[in-house]
């Protein structure tokens, strides 16, 4: 936390930037380069977000998340195969029923293997 607190301050040192036209000088302080620092990571975040945005299809979509309560984690870890199969079946049936009832179509979702199911529906 300390690195983030002192990021871009005198404490980390820096240098003077000088305008070539008018000669105005102002200090530019060094960054902490901490991966959790919002000042240091804003460019990396913007680049990542731009890359992700470029991969989106040019259609409207919804990001659906089906999650089980945290209290089920130990039970799921002990019986992954059967309980995750039940979760996928429940999600599949829910989406099929909703899609058929609301839109007259059956949505497709590739299988994913973790405790939450993320689906992009167009």
């Amino acid at each position: 936390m300390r690195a983030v607190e002192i990021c871009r301050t005198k404490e980390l040192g820096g240098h003077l930037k000088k305008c070539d036209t008018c000669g105005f000088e102002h200090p530019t302080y060094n960054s902490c380069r901490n991966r959790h620092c919002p000042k240091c990571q804003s460019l990396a975040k913007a680049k990542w977000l731009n890359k992700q945005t470029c991969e989106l299809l040019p259609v409207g979509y919804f990001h659906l998340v089906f999650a089980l309560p945290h209290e089920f984690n130990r039970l799921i870890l002990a019986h992954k195969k059967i309980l995750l199969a039940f979760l996928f079946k429940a999600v599949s049936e829910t989406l099929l029923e909703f899609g058929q009832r609301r839109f007259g179509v059956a949505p497709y979702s590739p299988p994913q293997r973790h405790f939450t199911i993320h689906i992009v529906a167009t």
Side-chain angles (χ1 to χ4, degrees):
M1 192 62 196
R2 177 81 176 129
V4 174
E5 290 173 358
I6 62 173
C7 184
R8 300 185 198 265
T9 64
K10 288 182 186 178
E11 200 165 336
L12 288 179
H15 56 279
L16 284 177
K17 278 197 159 186
K18 184 176 182 178
C19 177
D20 293 335
T21 306
C22 70
F24 176 76
E25 293 183 344
H26 68 91
T28 301
Y29 299 115
N30 296 331
S31 66
C32 66
R33 301 181 66 144
N34 185 304
R35 70 184 185 108
H36 302 293
C37 179
K39 293 177 195 169
C40 292
Q41 299 307 319
S42 61
L43 180 59
K45 181 177 84 173
K47 285 180 180 178
W48 178 87
L49 188 57
N50 186 48
K51 182 179 182 284
Q52 300 304 314
T53 302
C54 290
E55 293 181 14
L56 292 175
L57 296 173
V59 296
Y61 69 94
F62 298 95
H63 178 198
L64 309 175
V65 179
F66 294 81
L68 293 175
H70 177 75
E71 291 78 16
F72 287 112
N73 283 1
R74 289 181 65 193
L75 183 63
I76 293 170
L77 287 171
H79 307 282
K80 280 185 200 174
K81 189 172 185 174
I82 191 159
L83 293 178
L84 290 178
F86 283 146
L87 176 61
F88 277 91
K89 185 170 174 32
V91 169
S92 174
E93 289 174 0
T94 299
L95 290 175
L96 286 170
E97 182 182 330
F98 177 79
Q100 288 168 348
R101 208 167 5 126
R102 173 85 179 193
F103 304 108
V105 297
Y108 169 77
S109 170
Q112 301 175 31
R113 299 291 177 186
H114 53 90
F115 296 162
T116 60
I117 298 176
H118 298 256
I119 297 172
V120 174
T122 59

